[in-house]
Structure formats: structure tokens, C-alpha cells
């Protein structure tokens, strides 16, 4: 072989290697586990739905119905809906306070709506004038303030971003035909609006999570989802992206309906998986009935239900993304603040059984007992929300002889025994805290 040819081959190899783009859809299981570690360990996050829909607050022209979907519920034309931007002036918004509420609840990350289906951007976007700086009197960059507050507090920052967009004329979907746009060009919206906005968000606010939604419209395909996934990971390799980036999710149950779907985790919505799953998953749920602020929605879940959900989800190996919908004044509704604070008090005592844990094969016993295990397998946790007499009994997990059994929030080890395969643990007459209690079993 001539020298010159060899050189040419080497050059070609070098150049093609430098330009070959990594395919993040072919990541190994171990690489993914490493990237997902913090998220998996965090277990609990706070979702925030906030945008122009907080202005109508669930009522349009004297008729109730719709929250963040109010534009579609009442078939509000784009020009009429745009007027809410002029009224969105949340003077009481305090990013540090919101992050404090999340952190005190025990949440390790927040996910906020950079853009919901209505298409309004709550950050200073250079790609559009339909944003907080150009179209509202507020003129403060909400995502800048929140991302900085999160960074200062050690809370991971995530963004919910709707693929569907009822405002961009080119994004008009066949599924939502009431807005009149002629000749929409979805590919143009995707390439000249959606992707540049996402690149802008990553560059400006360095999110740890991108949480897509509105992917079910027929204009969006798995192929576009895979392309978007790679595009985003190339911009920020450590990003964690939900499965709604593509078309994999199976209805509200949220897990993938086929192999190799784009996205890192399943997204059950307003429900919890029936059983434990080894896949990555996160249940997103509301505190009351709605995601966005609705002034008459007083159907708040009890703190007992919220703690039970967190425990059940943790034992099944998932994450809990719990939503608040702040008002147009910029305030988290007080009943939500109260419940999150109560969850935080529970977490102060019991969080050891929640963070950095994995589920067990037998993750439950009856309705009132759940089991988790520390990541290193050294401690097992028995979480129960009902006690009869001053003892607790279980048989699907058996402490080894000589194990110490502690009650979180109580100093001394507890007396325990095994009878006919059932472990019986003597409890103190007064249990620490409320809602649920945790035994820690150490070999
Ligand atoms: O942002 C909140 C809601 O506004 C949004 N997701 C949460 C996080 C949401 N959008 N739509 N829905 C919830 C309900 C939509 C259900 C359906 Fe479907 C869309 C029924 C048919 C298309 C999802 C996809 C269930 C089946 C296919």
C-alpha cells in the first residue's frame, strides 16, 4: 500500500470518528443506572403547573371547567386567550419561598411547566414574544429565579415542556381543530421553534430533567421522539428525560407498551402502578383535583393519603411527583402548603426508609405494611400505618437471629420475637409522629 493511501485512510477514520455522533438510545444498563442514580435515590419531587391559566382559574365567561386545559375546554380562540398574558402579574411570587416549601416537604427536585399546551413560555425566550418578558406586565424571568433558588438550596431543577402547542400556528394538530390555522407546518414548528426553545432552556437554566407531555397528537411520532432524545442528550449528556418524549407510553398507566421506546422513565398519571416494577417510573399526582390553579377546587387529599402514596410508591420502586398549582398572585394555595409541611414533618423522622432505598420482592403485607431496603442491603424497613395493641406483626420479612430492630424517632432497640414464622415487635406506648411509622431492621 502506498504511503499516501495509508495516510488518507487514517485521516478518514479520525475525521469520521470525531464527527460520529453518539447514539444515546444505545446506552448500556450500567451507564443508565449511573445517570439515573440521583433521581432514583431522590424518590420524591414537587411538580409545579403555572402559567396563564392561573388567571381564569377554572372559570371562563361565568362558566366553570378546565384548569391548564381551559383554552381547549371552552374553545377559547388564540386571540382571546392571549389577553390573559396582559393580566398575568404575580407580584407575590417568591422563588426562594417555593423552593423552601419543596425542600421542607422532603422533595429533592422540582419540575415546573416551562410551557404547557397553551404555548405560553414563562421564561425570557428569544424565540418568541409570547413569553413572560414580552407579553406580560410581570417581566421577571420565572425560570431564572427558580433555577437559581434551586441551585442555592441543593434541589435539582426540572422542566415540563409540552410538545403539543395550541398557540404556534405551525403546531396546530388534527386532534384539536377548533383553532383556525391554514397550512400548519409541524416540521417547521419542531425545527424552528420547539427544538431551539429546548436548546435555549438547557443553555440558560441547566435543567436536570426534561419532562415532556402532549406527545399523543398524530403529528408526533416515535421517530421524532428518538431524534429529539438524542438531540437533547447531545446538548447535555446527563439529562434525564421522561418517556413522553416519544410514543411509548401506554395511556394513563404510563409505562412503555413496546421495547426500546425513547425516554428514561415511565409516567403513570394520577395513578400508582398496581405492583412493584424494576423499570424506572414516577407517578405524578395532584394535591387536589387539578394541575393548574382552580379557585373553587377544595378537594384536597389528606396528608394521610399523601404519606401512604409516598410509601406505597417507594416500596414498589418508583418516584412520587406531587403537584401544586400556584395562583395568579404567585402563591401556593395554603391547604397545599399545610399538607406539604406535614409530609415534611413525617419525612424528618422516616425519610431513611424512603431516600436511597429499593423495593423488595415482597414489598407489602396486607394493606397496612410496606417494606423497603437500603441501597446497600444492610437495613430493611417495615413501614406501617396502623397499629393494634402495642405491637406490630409481619411474616413476609424475617429478621435474622440477633438483628436489632429500631423504631425511627425512638432511641432504644425494641424487643422482638418470632412465633410460627410471624415476627412480633413490641412498640412503645406512644409512637413518635403521625401517619405512619418505620421499623429499621439491622443484621
Ligand atoms: O400537565 C398535566 C395535564 O394537563 C396533562 N398531563 C398532566 C401532567 C394531561 N394532558 N392530558 N391529559 C392529562 C389527559 C389526556 C388524556 C388523553 Fe390520552 C390524551 C386521552 C387520549 C389522549 C394519554 C394518551 C391517554 C391516552 C393517550
Amino acid at each position: 500500500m502506498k504511503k499516501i493511501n495509508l495516510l488518507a485512510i487514517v485521516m478518514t477514520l479520525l475525521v469520521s470518528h470525531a464527527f460520529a455522533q453518539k447514539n444515546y438510545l444505545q446506552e448500556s444498563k450500567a451507564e443508565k443506572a449511573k445517570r439515573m442514580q440521583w433521581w432514583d435515590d431522590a424518590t420524591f419531587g414537587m411538580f409545579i403547573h403555572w402559567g396563564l391559566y392561573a388567571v381564569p382559574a377554572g372559570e371562563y365567561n361565568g362558566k366553570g371547567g378546565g384548569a391548564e386545559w381551559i383554552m381547549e375546554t371552552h374553545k377559547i380562540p388564540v386571540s382571546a386567550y392571549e389577553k390573559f398574558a396582559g393580566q398575568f402579574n404575580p407580584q407575590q411570587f417568591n422563588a426562594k419561598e417555593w423552593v423552601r416549601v419543596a425542600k421542607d416537604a422532603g422533595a429533592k427536585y422540582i419540575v415546573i411547566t416551562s410551557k404547557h399546551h397553551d404555548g405560553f413560555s414563562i421564561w425570557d425566550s428569544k424565540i418568541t414574544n409570547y413569553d413572560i418578558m414580552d407579553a406580560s406586565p410581570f417581566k421577571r424571568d420565572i425560570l431564572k429565579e427558580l433555577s437559581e433558588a434551586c441551585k442555592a438550596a441543593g434541589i435539582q431543577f426540572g422542566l415540563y415542556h409540552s410538545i403539543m402547542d395550541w398557540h404556534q400556528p405551525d403546531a396546530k394538530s388534527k386532534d384539536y381543530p377548533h383553532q383556525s390555522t391554514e397550512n400548519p407546518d409541524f416540521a417547521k414548528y419542531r425545527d424552528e421553534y420547539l427544538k431551539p426553545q429546548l436548546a435555549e432552556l438547557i443553555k440558560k437554566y441547566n435543567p436536570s430533567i426534561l419532562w415532556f407531555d402532549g406527545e399523543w397528537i398524530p403529528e408526533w411520532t416515535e421517530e421524532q421522539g428518538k431524534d429529539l432524545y438524542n438531540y437533547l442528550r447531545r446538548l447535555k449528556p446527563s439529562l434525564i428525560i421522561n418517556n413522553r418524549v416519544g410514543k411509548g407510553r401506554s395511556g394513563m398507566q404510563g409505562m412503555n407498551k413496546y421495547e426500546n421506546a425513547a425516554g428514561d422513565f415511565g409516567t403513570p398519571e394520577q395513578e400508582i402502578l398496581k405492583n412493584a416494577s424494576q423499570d424506572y417510573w414516577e407517578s405524578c399526582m395532584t394535591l387536589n383535583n387539578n394541575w393548574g390553579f382552580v379557585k373553587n377546587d377544595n378537594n384536597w387529599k389528606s396528608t394521610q393519603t399523601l404519606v401512604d402514596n409516598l410509601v406505597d410508591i417507594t416500596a414498589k420502586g418508583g418516584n412520587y411527583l406531587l403537584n401544586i398549582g400556584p395562583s395568579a398572585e404567585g402563591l401556593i394555595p395554603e391547604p397545599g402548603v399545610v399538607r406539604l409541611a406535614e409530609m415534611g414533618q413525617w419525612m424528618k423522622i422516616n425519610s431513611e426508609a424512603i431516600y436511597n432505598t429499593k423495593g423488595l420482592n415482597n414489598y407489602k403485607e396486607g394493606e397496612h405494611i410496606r417494606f423497603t431496603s437500603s441501597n446497600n442491603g444492610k437495613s430493611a424497613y417495615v413501614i406501617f400505618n396502623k397499629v393494634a395493641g402495642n405491637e406490630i406483626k409481619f411474616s413476609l420479612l424475617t429478621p435474622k437471629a440477633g438483628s436489632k430492630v429500631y423504631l425511627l424517632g425512638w432511641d432504644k432497640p425494641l424487643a422482638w420475637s418470632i412465633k410460627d414464622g410471624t415476627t412480633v415487635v413490641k412498640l412503645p406506648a406512644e409512637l413518635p409522629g403521625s401517619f405512619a411509622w418505620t421499623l429499621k431492621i439491622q443484621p
Side-chain angles (χ1 to χ4, degrees):
M1 195 179 280
K2 281 187 205 154
K3 225 179 190 176
I4 188 85
N5 281 351
L6 190 66
L7 191 68
I9 289 165
V10 169
M11 286 298 285
T12 310
L13 282 174
L14 279 174
V15 168
S16 65
H17 183 76
F19 285 94
Q21 287 185 304
K22 188 160 174 175
N23 184 354
Y24 287 96
L25 298 155
Q26 288 168 1
E27 187 177 47
S28 74
K29 241 185 142 178
E31 278 176 317
K32 181 176 180 185
K34 208 169 150 198
R35 181 168 55 89
M36 299 297 287
Q37 186 78 49
W38 76 261
W39 184 90
D40 202 21
D41 289 346
T43 314
F44 184 29
M46 190 169 95
F47 215 174
I48 307 176
H49 274 70
W50 205 37
L52 298 186
Y53 37 84
V55 174
E59 188 182 313
Y60 188 68
N61 282 342
K63 276 201 197 120
E68 75 286 351
W69 272 71
I70 196 164
M71 185 175 177
E72 180 61 25
T73 308
H74 296 265
K75 305 283 183 279
I76 306 174
V78 168
S79 58
Y81 192 86
E82 280 176 342
K83 296 208 170 76
F84 294 133
Q87 299 164 46
F88 189 64
N89 194 10
Q91 285 302 318
Q92 299 194 65
F93 169 59
N94 181 337
K96 283 189 189 137
E97 178 60 13
W98 288 14
V99 171
R100 186 196 62 75
V101 168
K103 191 171 182 171
D104 285 357
K108 297 280 194 190
Y109 59 102
I110 68 166
V111 179
I112 181 164
T113 48
S114 41
K115 182 193 85 167
H116 206 270
H117 310 329
D118 67 356
F120 188 75
S121 298
I122 66 163
W123 78 97
D124 183 11
S125 176
K126 298 297 174 222
I127 322 282
T128 180
N129 286 334
Y130 197 48
D131 75 350
I132 195 75
M133 302 306 270
D134 300 307
S136 89
F138 192 46
K139 300 198 188 306
R140 273 163 57 188
D141 185 334
I142 292 167
L143 296 188
K144 180 170 191 287
E145 292 182 26
L146 268 172
S147 59
E148 285 171 1
C150 279
K151 197 171 179 197
I155 296 282
Q156 299 273 1
F157 185 65
L159 296 170
Y160 167 111
H161 204 81
S162 176
I163 289 169
M164 168 163 80
D165 187 314
W166 298 327
H167 184 265
Q168 271 311 105
D170 280 325
K172 184 184 155 67
S173 169
K174 288 193 190 81
D175 275 4
Y176 300 89
H178 75 278
Q179 309 292 359
S180 58
T181 304
E182 283 171 29
N183 306 318
D185 184 344
F186 193 84
K188 187 162 190 274
Y189 157 73
R190 180 195 65 214
D191 295 339
E192 294 176 19
Y193 194 88
L194 179 64
K195 285 168 90 172
Q197 275 210 323
L198 289 163
E200 186 183 40
L201 286 167
I202 291 172
K203 187 158 180 246
K204 281 188 156 155
Y205 312 111
N206 195 26
S208 304
I209 303 166
L210 285 179
W211 210 108
F212 288 99
D213 203 4
E215 86 291 8
W216 61 82
I217 51 173
E219 290 76 10
W220 195 248
T221 60
E222 176 65 20
E223 192 191 353
Q224 292 177 80
K226 286 197 161 77
D227 172 75
L228 183 59
Y229 182 90
N230 260 325
Y231 171 77
L232 298 166
R233 294 273 320 271
R234 281 168 192 155
L235 291 173
K236 179 168 178 175
S238 66
L239 259 179
I240 292 175
I241 302 170
N242 72 343
N243 68 343
R244 300 187 190 185
V245 69
K247 304 285 272 196
R249 86 159 151 140
S250 162
M252 301 300 266
Q253 183 263 2
M255 302 308 277
N256 290 338
K257 55 185 177 236
Y258 47 79
E259 291 282 307
N260 302 320
D264 299 319
F265 63 93
T267 49
E269 176 168 331
Q270 298 289 42
E271 56 184 90
I272 296 172
L273 290 191
K274 297 269 175 302
N275 291 300
S277 168
Q278 293 303 312
D279 294 334
Y280 295 99
W281 62 281
E282 174 189 69
S283 274
C284 58
M285 296 180 121
T286 51
L287 266 169
N288 50 357
N289 282 348
N290 291 281
W291 300 96
F293 181 73
V294 169
K295 60 188 166 196
N296 296 323
D297 182 354
N298 295 311
N299 194 20
W300 298 94
K301 294 181 179 74
S302 68
T303 308
Q304 181 70 58
T305 297
L306 300 169
V307 168
D308 289 349
N309 285 349
L310 176 62
V311 169
D312 190 40
I313 289 167
T314 307
K316 290 170 177 169
N319 279 19
Y320 193 23
L321 186 63
L322 184 57
N323 180 74
I324 53 151
S327 69
E329 287 74 53
L331 298 174
I332 304 171
E334 194 56 24
V337 172
V338 168
R339 283 157 179 77
L340 289 166
E342 286 179 343
M343 289 182 85
Q345 281 157 16
W346 185 84
M347 286 290 270
K348 275 211 180 80
I349 298 173
N350 298 282
S351 69
E352 208 189 306
I354 303 293
Y355 302 138
N356 313 312
T357 60
K358 49 189 181 189
L360 292 166
N361 281 343
N362 289 323
Y363 68 90
K364 71 180 270 188
E365 182 164 338
E367 285 316 301
H368 299 289
I369 297 177
R370 294 290 181 276
F371 304 106
T372 66
S373 157
S374 60
N375 278 341
N376 63 14
K378 285 213 170 116
S379 306
Y381 300 96
V382 183
I383 312 164
F384 53 98
N385 66 2
K386 196 179 175 190
V387 205
N390 288 333
E391 59 184 30
I392 179 90
K393 294 180 187 176
F394 47 92
S395 8
L396 293 180
L397 185 143
T398 310
K400 289 197 191 99
S403 287
K404 285 218 179 335
V405 177
Y406 293 94
L407 178 68
L408 295 185
W410 188 261
D411 287 343
K412 290 173 290 264
L414 307 178
W416 62 279
S417 58
I418 300 177
K419 203 179 164 210
D420 302 331
T422 297
T423 302
V424 183
V425 181
K426 292 270 173 233
L427 297 169
E430 264 192 54
L431 294 171
S434 334
F435 310 120
W437 301 271
T438 305
L439 298 179
K440 177 182 184 177
I441 302 176
Q442 287 195 304

